[in-house]
Amino acid sequence: SVVKPEMFSKENSQYLYQQLGCKTAVGMPFKDIATVDSIYMSKIPPSSDTEARAAIRRLIEVSMGVVVPAEELEKDPLPNAVALMSLEDAVAKNGKLPEGAIRLAVELNGDEDEETIIKVKELNPVFCMLKPKENLSHLHASRRVFEIFKANDIDRAV
């Protein structure tokens, strides 16, 4: 699920928990069978917004993954987040995570060379996000990536 920072306002966080499939007890969320596993946030609330950060922390505490672009985490760290990096950036940084991040997720665009895609195995991301460039056929880019994964025994969720 894609979540925006304003959704974590004090008045809205209880409704957000419900929309994510969480049950609540005394205002605290907990996971259920219908709860989403992870949320994606392209922007995060500033650390000065303690109420929004507390709401995010509560989701992390019930084992919900919070995926945030690495550039955002470098500006304002969020403890226990999953850092999303492009494959090129992750390879260039040798998988080094920004402060506070605990796991890596990589974004593939489908036009990387085979040698670069094979490095996914070494980086060991928690998952890969396949987002082909607009000028590429999604079908062909996806097939190419999956064929490279299969040929090199790369077992990652995409």
Side-chain angles (χ1 to χ4, degrees):
S1 295
V2 177
V3 180
K4 297 180 179 180
E6 53 271 11
M7 295 173 151
F8 285 101
S9 67
K10 184 177 182 178
E11 318 69 59
N12 195 45
S13 59
Q14 292 301 313
Y15 300 111
L16 177 62
Y17 296 154
Q18 290 174 358
Q19 290 300 309
L20 294 173
C22 294
K23 302 288 185 192
T24 55
V26 198
M28 303 298 277
F30 63 93
K31 285 183 92 170
D32 187 39
I33 193 141
T35 306
V36 300
D37 292 323
S38 297
I39 58 173
Y40 172 75
M41 298 185 70
S42 59
K43 299 258 185 241
I44 52 175
S47 49
S48 59
D49 187 348
T50 56
E51 290 177 358
R53 285 293 182 114
I56 295 170
R57 188 188 72 246
R58 287 184 192 115
L59 291 174
I60 291 171
E61 287 172 352
V62 296
S63 300
M64 184 175 292
V66 178
V67 182
V68 181
E71 307 83 54
E72 283 293 308
L73 294 173
E74 288 166 358
K75 291 183 221 169
D76 193 359
L78 176 65
N80 302 314
V82 177
L84 178 65
M85 290 185 200
S86 70
L87 180 56
E88 290 88 3
D89 287 348
V91 168
K93 294 178 181 180
N94 201 24
K96 185 174 182 327
L97 299 171
E99 182 184 339
I102 57 168
R103 295 296 306 263
L104 171 68
V106 295
E107 185 176 291
L108 299 142
N109 59 34
D111 73 348
E112 300 91 351
D113 59 59
E114 186 170 341
E115 186 178 294
T116 304
I117 294 174
I118 292 171
K119 293 193 179 184
V120 167
K121 195 169 191 173
E122 297 168 25
L123 292 170
N124 194 26
V126 67
F127 69 89
C128 299
M129 188 180 294
L130 184 57
K131 187 177 176 185
K133 290 184 175 179
E134 288 186 29
N135 63 340
L136 294 176
S137 161
H138 286 233
L139 175 69
H140 293 99
S142 301
R143 272 192 190 151
R144 180 176 169 270
V145 168
F146 288 123
E147 285 173 3
I148 293 169
F149 272 32
K150 184 176 181 181
N152 293 281
D153 295 320
I154 300 172
D155 187 23
R156 285 289 127 222
V158 180

